Structures are given as structure tokens and as C-alpha cells.
Amino acid sequence: MLRIALRNVFAHKARLVMTALAVLLGVAFVSGTLIFGDTTANAFRTAAGASLKGVAVSVQSQVQYRIAGTGGPDGTPSSTLDTALADKIRALPGVAAVRPTVNGMVTVAGKDGLPVNTDKARLNLATNYLPGKDSRISLKEGRGPVAEGELALDARTALKAGYRIGDTVRFAIDGPGLAKKLVGTVATDDPRVNAGGTLTLFDTRTAQKLLLHPGQFHEIAVAAKPGTDPSELTERVRALLPDKGARATGREDLAAEQAEQIGEHTGFLTKTLLGFAGIALFIGAFIIANTFTMLIAQRSREIALMRAVGASRRQVVRAVLIEAALLGLGASAVGFVLGIGIATVMRPLLNASGAGLPAGPLVISQGTVVWSLVVGVLITVLAAWLPSRKAAKIAPVAALSSVDQAPPARALVVRNVLGTLLTGSGALLMLYIYTVDSTDQTYLLIAMLGAALTLVGIIVQAPLLSRPLITLAGKATTRLFGVTGKLAKENALRNPRRTAATASALMVGLALVTGLTVVGHSTERALIADATQGLSADYKVANTITTGLEVDAAAKIARVPGVAAAVPTTVASVSTGGTNFFTITGTDPKIYGKAANLDFRAGSLGDIGPRKVAVSDEFATEAGLKVGSTLDVGATTGRGEKEVKLELKVVGVYAKTPTTEDALGTLADTLPYSDSKKLKEVLVKAEPGQAAGLERKIRAALGDSPLLEVQSHEQAIKDGGADIGTVLKMMYGLLGMALLISVVGVINTLAMSVFERTREIGMLRAIGLDRTGIKQMVRLESVVISLFGAALGIGTGIFLAWAGGGLVSSTMDTYETLLPWGELGIFLALALVIGVLAAIWPARRAARLNMLQSIQSS
């Protein structure tokens, strides 16, 4: 059987090359992902390990960063790590040195006055410069800061901001803008900085003054003398610490914590990429199964002869599976090599989009090699299992008398019933999800199960669905192209299973792309609505951190030339008893209408006043309120403060908007109960024709702090969909592999179909169909199959996106399913292009067949 399998592989290598390509691409995706994940994790571990170089014990304060409104009496946190404690630790036996550090967050402005890093996913770090004591940081140019008026920046930030040594750098911590002289630039192996964050360094006294308190630290790193037991040293350090507010951790425990964090950070990305690799292999399985089914049909006489000379059914199955295993092994080996190339280019590609992954050598583990080969071989063998059983069931006499028989009707009936049950079950689950108003993870798992059942059900039903859809497409091809169009339709309908298997590969890819596109487009529109709906303001001014704006910010902006109105807003959360909370937006009702559009169902903005509020229609319905109702609420003026009872009178009802959700009251009534006791934002309406250029003036009026976010209406729309657009582009790139494999499947099916119909093509040539007509016939057959797959994929994707959108709408009131007709049209056109391109080689091969030799072939 092994010799027979080897002979078949080499005898039909041209027919198997496309199948091998499908396996190769899938395995390349898997191996590339695994290598990339190991490489990235190793790079992060190396960078993190460098930060622990020379550290035996780390003493950390529970205080992390200075944030106004928390901590001590002056609004800053207080640390239990101070200079006295550092001196005590330094005097312990076995301690070689201590490195006390102050950590914080500083936002740096570039020379243009705008923040250097506005990506909230990245950190703007700050610390104290310790020359010669901190191995994580090395001086690159200039010198380190030694006085209060000096600072240093990491070299990448300085370059991006346009600063040179000697320039004055503007920055902010949690309030107004500050300025210091740049005296040096540094290099660091901190992965947070290398991932796109910024690093600002001060001398120790200045760092304590700006980020904490004089004489206090966030962390004390302890270096041990040679021969000192790390565990004993850790216990000695712990004995010196206060009962609360600090902890000492040994190097091994620190390394374990970092390893766990790195695993979580890189594991999610690796699992996501492996999910797409699984999709690619799933699609490849259709091609493999289709190829072996066609090969077995073409070799039925050969198989019958094997049976006639004594081969058992088990031996026939074994021969086919060995052939599949050999094919899978060879393709997997080549795919693994290609995966190394994919892993090599993946980091620079992701960094080009701002990922900021650290550099490091490729890590190719033994497990990656084994899993890549096992997955490729296993998928190929499993996909060939059903065709091998079909081969074993061929009766010798029946096979010798008929080369290609249609599948029995009973099998199709059973398949159609099974497909209907699967599709129905999946659709019912998705319809249930559509009615759910919850963010519980259980419903997400139900949605995933429903989507999987629906997709599998459609795949099983594809032969049944192929006849009406392809017949409909055939009417168009017949009318447009005449005889060749009709022949293309008949060829596509000749074997519904084969057509369905070929189209299903494309269907799965397009269903996923369509579903993601519809959800992404709808979410993007919802985010834009959240940012802009109900607002007529030209600018929205806020703080990039949670501290908010000073109460007088609106008055300062109002005095800027060109500003028609500056409307202050804040938000407070109050309760109606127990755990029933709602939000009140506080503002100046007299001018709020100049910057916002509220549709009042009863009352008006002018009715709002002290202890008088308007409520949204949704909240009014939920709470049973109407104009004239009294609303008893509880509120607090700060954490730990006793709840204050307030009695509010409802004087208006308006249509809910994302910016004014539950209730609207006066600024004076709301501000004392807001979290920061500051403004959340200021809405700015410009004078007619004066909106352009106001951003600079507004920034200048508020002290030009880098923390200021002055967002125009157009920028709000752009920012609303920016993240979704980035995610969609990445998804398109990942699913592109699946679509490429789909193209391979169409080419493979057509090429083998042409081989099967050699005599038929010769007869067509003999009765007058020229080479151009043969090409057109094959090309139209490819287009019809591709459009059939596209119709199923796009339709299924829209349904899944619509039903699954219920989960998104439970967290976004403005979410509704919107179809991106432009993108859907592109997908349909893409299917048409796939059909045309996939037919190029098979059509040329069919047209070049010798007419007489083709007629004589068996």
C-alpha cells in the first residue's frame, strides 16, 4: 500500500499541487503565528529581564502615580517609602546598593504645542534620573538633569517632538503646562517606551516634588552582595517595612510576575492569529476533500482492479490515507519554511501600524516544528478520510462499468435534512441572541455556537442551494453568451456536491469578511453618533486624563475672540435608592442650546433651574416620571462622605442623546457631586466663519497645557471610527489568506474537471465549438461557481452580523445594523474577479487539448 501511495503521489503530482498549496498556506499561517508568538514573548522577556539586572529585591509602594483628587490633604498621594527607609535598607547585611525611584505620568508637548503621544493605550512615563545606578537607562546625548529647571527625554520622543539639546520643553502632569530645559536624551530597553510610550526624566528632588512628595519614593530596588542568599535578604527587607502601604518581592517572584504579564499580553495576539490560521486550514480542508473525491472518481477503474486482485476495503482506505499523509507532510514542511518568513516580516508590519513590538532574534522551538507538521498532516488525512471510505465502497464490477456515477439520491436527502437541522438550530440561537440585552460572556459563547452551526448548516445544504441559484445565474449567462453560457451552467450543475465544496471555501471566507465589515461599519457609525449626535458645537474641550478642567475654563474660553459661546458641562452619578444609579449632566441652561440640540417632548431648557431638571424620555419611562414629578435622589460630595438627600423637580422631557443621557440640570446643582469637582468638558460654538484656527487660541487661553484635548467636529467624526478602521484593515489582511486559499480551490476544481471532461471537450471541438468558446465556457463556469459562493457568503455574513449585533447594541444605545453597500459591492466584484482569474490556467489548458486525442481518451 505504501508503494501504491507513493506511485499515486508522483503519478498525479500536477493534480495534487494545488491541494498541496492549500495545506502549505494554512501551515505557513500556523507556524508563522507560533514562531511570531514565541519570538515576541522572548523579546519582551529579554527587555523585562534587563530591568531586573542587578535587582535582588524590589520594595514597592501601593501608590502608583500622582492623580489629583486622591491621597493626602494637598490632593496628592503619600508613599510609605522614604529616604529614611532607603538608608535603613542600605545598612542591611548583604546589601550592595539601593536604587530609590519615583515614577509617574507626564505628557510632553511637541514644538507645535500639541501632545507628542495622544494614544491612550500607550504610557507617557516619567522617573528620576540616577546616573550610573539604573541599568535600564543609558545616556545617549548631552547629560542627565541635575537641577530643578532641567529634564531629559528618550531619544525617540525628542526626535518626534522636534527638540534638540538646549530647547525648552513644555509638559504637564495633571494641571497647567510647565516648562524645563532639555539637557540630554537617553536610550532605554523599557518595552513600554519602545512600544510607543514616552519617557521623561528629572533629578530626584524635582521628580519627588512633581510626582509625589519630597523625600518619598514609589520603589526601592535592592542589589545584593555576592554570596548573599536572596530569600534571606528579602525577609530582612520585609522586616523593615511598615505594616501597610509597601511590599518586598524577590527577584524570582518578580520575574514570575513579569512572565505571567508577558504571557497574557502576547498570548491574546497569538490566539487571535491562530484563530485565523484555523479558518484558513478549515477552508483548505474543503479543497483537500474535493481533490481526493475527484481523484477517486477518476481512478475508480484502477481501484476496482486493486479490489479484483485481492485488495481489501481497509487496504484501499489505507492507501488513500497514506497518499494524503505524504502530501500533507511534504506541504507542511514547505509551509513551515514559509512560516519562518511570515514571522520575520510580521513584527515590522505590525510596528508600521504603531504596535511598537520589541526587537529580538527568531525563536523556533521544537514544539512549533512538531505542531506545524502534525497539524498539516492531520488536516490533510482527516479531509481525505471520507473520500477514502467512498473509494473502499466501490464494487469492482460497478466501477469497471461506470467511471463516474452520481451520488445516490438517498445520500443527498439525508444530507439536506441534516443541513436544515443544523442551519435551523444555528439561526434560532442567533435570533435568540438578537433579543438579548446583556453583556454576559455566556451570550457571546452562545452567539459563537450559533454562528458556527449556521455556517456548517449552510455548507451541508450547499448542494441543495446550488441548483436554484446556479440555474438563476445560468439564465443570465445563457442570454449574454449563448451556448457557452448554457454549457457553463450545465457543467456547474452536473455535480452539485463538487460545486458546493468548491464554493463553500469561498463562502466561509466571504461570510466572515462580510460579518466583520457589517459589525465594524455599524459600530463605527455608532461611535461617531456617540461623539457628535445632539451636538452643534464646533469644538469640544476636555482633559486627556481623568482630572477634568478647572471650573473657570469656560469663562476663559468665552473671552477668546471668535467664540460665540463656551458651554461648561460636568457629570454626576446619583441614586434613586439602593443600587439604582443614573447620571445628571450639569450645565448652564441659558446657553446650552447654542452648543447642543435637544428635542424636548415637554418643557424647555428655559425651565431648568436650581433643583429643577429635565429628564430623557427613556429615563422618564423607566422611572415613571413626567413634568411636575418629584425625584428624590441621594448623592455624595466625595469618597467616604455621607450621602446627601436631594429633591429635584422634573420640568421637562427630551429625547435621549449620547451626550445628555438621563437628566440635565444646572452646573451649581451638579458640580459638588461630580467625581473630580471639575468640568468634564466645555462645548465651544464659534462665531460664523471664525471656527478655523480657534484651536490654538483656546489652548493659549487655558495655559497651553499638553493635556488639553481640543477636538473639532470633523476630528470627532474621524476619531470615532479610527480604531474600528484599523481593526478592520488587520482583519482583512488576515482573512486575505483564507480568500487566497479559496482561489486555489476554484483553480484546482476546474483543472481537474477539465481533465475529467477531456473526451467531452474533444467532442465539443469536433461539432464546431472553437478554442475561444472552450475558454469562455470554462471561464463562465468558474464565475458562476464563485458568484454562488459569494451569494451564500455575503448573505450569511449579513444575517450573522444582524443577529449578533444585539450583543453590541446592549452596550451602545446608538448601535444599529447598517449595511456598507460600497464594501458589499466590492466583495461581489472580488468574487467575480476571483472567478475570472481562477479560470485562466484551466481554460487555457482546455483550449489547448488536441481534438482527436481528446476524443480517443478514456
mmCIF file of all heavy atoms in Angstrom, residues 45 59 259 264 681 726:
data_model
loop_
_atom_site.group_PDB
_atom_site.id
_atom_site.type_symbol
_atom_site.label_atom_id
_atom_site.label_comp_id
_atom_site.label_asym_id
_atom_site.label_seq_id
_atom_site.Cartn_x
_atom_site.Cartn_y
_atom_site.Cartn_z
ATOM 1 N N ARG A 45 10.445 39.279 27.305
ATOM 2 C CA ARG A 45 11.133 38.754 28.492
ATOM 3 C C ARG A 45 12.553 39.290 28.597
ATOM 4 O O ARG A 45 13.033 39.606 29.681
ATOM 5 C CB ARG A 45 11.145 37.223 28.443
ATOM 6 C CG ARG A 45 9.843 36.571 28.848
ATOM 7 C CD ARG A 45 10.035 35.087 29.109
ATOM 8 N NE ARG A 45 10.442 34.384 27.903
ATOM 9 C CZ ARG A 45 9.595 33.825 27.043
ATOM 10 N NH1 ARG A 45 8.288 33.901 27.273
ATOM 11 N NH2 ARG A 45 10.036 33.193 25.979
ATOM 12 N N VAL A 59 11.261 46.753 46.516
ATOM 13 C CA VAL A 59 10.297 47.243 47.504
ATOM 14 C C VAL A 59 9.390 48.241 46.790
ATOM 15 O O VAL A 59 9.867 49.257 46.275
ATOM 16 C CB VAL A 59 11.003 47.917 48.697
ATOM 17 C CG1 VAL A 59 9.979 48.340 49.734
ATOM 18 C CG2 VAL A 59 12.034 46.982 49.310
ATOM 19 N N ALA A 259 6.723 37.382 33.746
ATOM 20 C CA ALA A 259 6.481 36.341 32.755
ATOM 21 C C ALA A 259 4.982 36.119 32.560
ATOM 22 O O ALA A 259 4.505 35.923 31.436
ATOM 23 C CB ALA A 259 7.160 35.045 33.173
ATOM 24 N N GLU A 264 0.194 36.921 29.162
ATOM 25 C CA GLU A 264 -1.150 37.435 28.898
ATOM 26 C C GLU A 264 -1.133 38.419 27.734
ATOM 27 O O GLU A 264 -2.041 38.433 26.898
ATOM 28 C CB GLU A 264 -1.700 38.114 30.157
ATOM 29 C CG GLU A 264 -1.969 37.147 31.305
ATOM 30 C CD GLU A 264 -2.428 37.871 32.555
ATOM 31 O OE1 GLU A 264 -2.466 39.124 32.525
ATOM 32 O OE2 GLU A 264 -2.736 37.192 33.553
ATOM 33 N N GLU A 681 -16.116 68.733 30.343
ATOM 34 C CA GLU A 681 -15.711 69.306 29.065
ATOM 35 C C GLU A 681 -16.390 70.655 28.871
ATOM 36 O O GLU A 681 -17.333 71.003 29.590
ATOM 37 C CB GLU A 681 -16.050 68.363 27.900
ATOM 38 C CG GLU A 681 -17.528 68.018 27.799
ATOM 39 C CD GLU A 681 -17.805 66.888 26.816
ATOM 40 O OE1 GLU A 681 -16.860 66.160 26.458
ATOM 41 O OE2 GLU A 681 -18.978 66.722 26.423
ATOM 42 N N THR A 726 -8.861 50.632 11.830
ATOM 43 C CA THR A 726 -7.587 49.923 11.972
ATOM 44 C C THR A 726 -7.805 48.435 12.188
ATOM 45 O O THR A 726 -7.126 47.591 11.593
ATOM 46 C CB THR A 726 -6.794 50.507 13.157
ATOM 47 O OG1 THR A 726 -6.556 51.897 12.926
ATOM 48 C CG2 THR A 726 -5.471 49.796 13.326
#
